Amino acid sequence: MEFPVDVLVSGRHEDLESSAQSYMNKLLYSNPDNTQCLTLPNTRKIRISPANVGFVPLYGANLKHKVLALFAPEDQFTAVALFLADQWYAVEDILRTSNTAREGLVKVRSVGERIVLYVLNRIIYRTAEMGSNEVPFLCHGEEVFAKILWKNGEAVGFYSVKSKGSLCNSFVSQCYLLPVMDSIFVRKDHRGNGHGLQMLEDFVDSFKDDELGLKYPLTPAMQKVCRQYLRTYPADVDLLWEVEGVGGPYQKVKVASKLGSMTLQCKQFKWVLKPFLFFCLHLAVEISALPISTRTRSSERRQKKRPREEPEESAVENRPEKINRSLKTPHI
C-alpha cells in the first residue's frame, strides 16, 4: 500500500486543492440518506458529511494553501483524516511510508512531506502529546528548513530551523542573525532512544556557522540533550546559544554557561541543605539516646493507690485512776 508521502512526491498544492474542491462540491449535493463512512485504523467509523468536513490552512496564518479535513463529531477542531490524492487518509496512515529507503532524518522537500510535518506538529503534538508546561509550536511555513525522523516506516519526530537571514515572526522587519532551531519533537513512544541528541548533531552538521541558536526557553528535555552533546563534544562549548528574538547581542545566552550556572545553583543548594540534614540527623541521634520511660499516664493511674483514712489518736490519754492513799483501810 502506498501512502500520501509516497504518492505526493512531485504533486503541487494547486492539484490537491482542485481535487478537494471538486470532492466538496459533490458532497454538498449528495443524497443525505446515502452518506459514506471512513473506517479509522482503530475500526471506528466516521460519517462523512458537509457538517464535519472543511478546509484548513496548511501553513498557519498563511491562508494561501489549504487541505480538506474530516473531523469527528465530538471534536470539530482536530482532524482525523485528510483528503489527499483523491481519497481520504487517516492521520495515522499519513505518517507512514512504504519506501524502505526513507529512514532516519530526511529533509522536507515535497508537498507530501510538508503534510506529514503539519500532521506531526498540528495534530499529533499539539492535540495529543504536548506537555502541560510546554508552549505549542507555530505552524511551519512553506519554505522553512525542517527534517522528519523516519523509523521503521513511520514518522516519529521532526525538527525545524529558522535560517540565518530569514524574517522573524516577532519582528517583522528584522531577520535572524544566526540559524535557530525553533522546534524539535519526538513522539512519546520513541523517547529515551537518543533521538534528541541525534537531531541536535544533525542540526550542527547541517549548518556550518560558528554560532547556532536554540529557541528560548530551553525545556528540561532539551537541557538534558544539550548536556549530553557538550559532554560528547566539549570543544563545542562556544557553539550553542539560547536565543530570544533574532539573536542580537542581548538576545542570546551561551548554553554551556547557562547549564553551568544551573549546576552551580544546584550545588549551592546542596551546600545549604547538607548542614541542615546533618543537624537533623544529629538531633535525631541525641533524641534516640534519651532514656525512654515505659510508664504511661494510664499505667500510673492504675498503679497509684487510693489513700486510706487513718484513725486519729485521742489527745487525752486513758490514765488509770489514782489511788487515794490517805484513806486508811480497816485492820482485819
Side-chain angles (χ1 to χ4, degrees):
M1 176 182 177
E2 287 190 320
F3 300 97
V5 71
D6 305 315
V7 176
L8 301 174
V9 175
S10 58
R12 300 185 309 156
H13 290 97
E14 292 76 11
D15 297 333
L16 283 178
E17 293 177 36
S18 176
S19 172
Q21 191 63 58
S22 298
Y23 175 86
M24 190 65 178
N25 292 336
K26 294 178 182 178
L27 185 64
L28 289 172
Y29 295 100
S30 62
N31 184 356
D33 297 327
N34 187 24
T35 58
Q36 296 179 338
C37 291
L38 175 68
T39 303
L40 301 179
N42 61 1
T43 70
R44 182 187 178 187
K45 292 186 177 182
I46 302 295
R47 181 171 174 266
I48 303 174
S49 70
N52 61 337
V53 170
F55 285 93
V56 294
L58 189 58
Y59 302 116
N62 183 355
L63 304 180
K64 181 180 179 181
H65 299 301
K66 298 179 288 292
V67 291
L68 190 62
L70 175 66
F71 300 89
E74 70 277 4
D75 187 357
Q76 292 294 315
F77 296 97
T78 304
V80 296
L82 300 180
F83 190 80
L84 306 169
D86 299 324
Q87 70 178 84
W88 288 106
Y89 285 94
V91 165
E92 292 83 354
D93 290 335
I94 296 174
L95 299 179
R96 298 173 63 188
T97 179
S98 58
N99 185 357
T100 56
R102 188 177 277 112
E103 186 73 15
L105 286 164
V106 179
K107 186 177 180 180
V108 174
R109 290 186 173 89
S110 67
V111 173
E113 290 168 332
R114 292 286 171 191
I115 293 173
V116 172
L117 184 63
Y118 168 84
V119 170
L120 279 173
N121 179 26
R122 184 63 182 85
I123 300 177
I124 300 299
Y125 170 68
R126 191 178 298 190
T127 64
E129 299 191 8
M130 184 176 69
S132 58
N133 59 339
E134 295 179 356
V135 179
F137 304 131
L138 297 176
C139 289
H140 297 98
E142 183 178 358
E143 302 295 334
V144 71
F145 177 96
K147 288 191 176 184
I148 295 173
L149 178 61
W150 295 91
K151 186 176 181 180
N152 299 327
E154 182 183 2
V156 300
F158 67 84
Y159 80 87
S160 64
V161 178
K162 296 293 187 183
S163 301
K164 182 178 180 179
S166 61
L167 286 175
C168 179
N169 293 328
S170 303
F171 303 91
V172 180
S173 61
Q174 297 187 36
C175 298
Y176 285 95
L177 302 179
L178 71 167
V180 177
M181 179 190 283
D182 67 330
S183 68
I184 180 171
F185 168 66
V186 177
R187 298 202 65 176
K188 287 183 177 180
D189 293 342
H190 297 272
R191 294 175 187 175
N193 297 316
H195 294 314
L197 180 60
Q198 178 186 358
M199 291 185 184
L200 183 55
E201 290 175 338
D202 187 85
F203 170 50
V204 172
D205 294 339
S206 299
F207 295 87
K208 305 306 179 183
D209 301 67
D210 294 332
E211 294 181 354
L212 298 177
L214 304 174
K215 186 178 180 180
Y216 171 90
L218 290 181
T219 63
M222 198 59 196
Q223 292 174 16
K224 182 179 179 180
V225 171
C226 290
R227 284 193 181 93
Q228 293 174 338
Y229 180 88
L230 292 173
R231 280 198 297 264
T232 307
Y233 310 100
D236 285 346
V237 66
D238 297 323
L239 178 64
L240 302 177
W241 296 75
E242 184 183 39
V243 172
E244 287 189 85
V246 298
Y250 301 101
Q251 295 179 321
K252 61 182 182 179
V253 177
K254 192 182 299 184
V255 171
S257 300
K258 179 171 183 176
L259 296 179
S261 64
M262 292 174 64
T263 303
L264 180 60
Q265 290 175 4
C266 183
K267 288 182 178 179
Q268 290 175 343
F269 175 74
K270 290 181 179 178
W271 293 340
V272 174
L273 183 62
K274 188 174 181 180
F276 175 73
L277 293 177
F278 178 78
F279 168 76
C280 292
L281 180 61
H282 182 69
L283 182 62
V285 171
E286 288 186 347
I287 293 175
S288 63
L290 294 175
I292 300 176
S293 174
T294 59
R295 187 177 182 182
T296 63
R297 290 174 60 91
S298 59
S299 63
E300 182 181 359
R301 188 175 296 113
R302 288 195 302 270
Q303 293 176 0
K304 188 176 181 179
K305 295 181 180 180
R306 181 179 177 85
R308 293 184 296 174
E309 295 181 359
E310 298 292 340
E312 295 182 1
E313 294 183 357
S314 176
V316 180
E317 295 182 358
N318 294 327
R319 298 176 182 176
E321 293 182 359
K322 292 182 179 180
I323 298 175
N324 190 350
R325 295 185 181 275
S326 60
L327 295 177
K328 294 181 180 179
T329 58
H331 295 281
I332 299 176

